[in-house]
């Protein structure tokens, strides 16, 4: 199971990103864990300056916008 963290303040974009990851994972039949991380210290540890940020298994893969459906699907493979 892949562990996703959505890094952000809880804004609409961050919530939408977490929902999108869960939705696409369900469509692909992939089990994922999605955590919303709002702690600024953790975000700075990943050097995320623009949210939402997305990590997979503790590796930053995206930041600054809502990722596309295609990009999320590629992370699930």
């Amino acid at each position: 199971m892949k562990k996703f963290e959505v890094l952000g303040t809880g804004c609409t974009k961050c919530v939408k990103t977490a929902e999108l990851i869960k939705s696409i994972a369900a469509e692909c039949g992939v089990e994922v864990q999605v955590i919303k991380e709002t702690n600024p210290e953790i975000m700075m540890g990943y050097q995320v300056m623009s949210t939402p940020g997305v990590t997979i298994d503790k590796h930053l893969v995206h930041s600054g916008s809502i990722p596309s459906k295609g990009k999320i699907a590629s992370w699930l493979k």
Side-chain angles (χ1 to χ4, degrees):
M1 175 187 329
K2 290 187 178 186
K3 180 179 175 183
F4 286 82
E5 286 180 291
V6 177
L7 309 170
T9 60
C11 67
T12 304
K13 288 182 187 179
C14 300
V15 172
K16 173 83 173 164
T17 297
E19 290 173 355
L20 200 54
I21 292 168
K22 289 177 187 176
S23 172
I24 293 170
E27 287 175 16
C28 295
V30 176
E31 191 174 342
V32 296
Q33 179 183 15
V34 179
I35 298 168
K36 295 178 200 164
E37 183 56 67
T38 59
N39 184 329
E41 289 179 15
I42 292 174
M43 287 187 271
M44 294 307 288
Y46 286 110
Q47 299 179 347
V48 170
M49 302 305 282
S50 183
T51 61
V54 179
T55 70
I56 301 173
D57 298 329
K58 302 286 183 185
H59 298 299
L60 183 67
V61 294
H62 183 85
S63 69
S65 63
I66 297 172
S68 69
K69 291 181 179 183
K71 191 171 206 178
I72 294 170
S74 73
W75 295 336
L76 298 170
K77 295 180 179 178

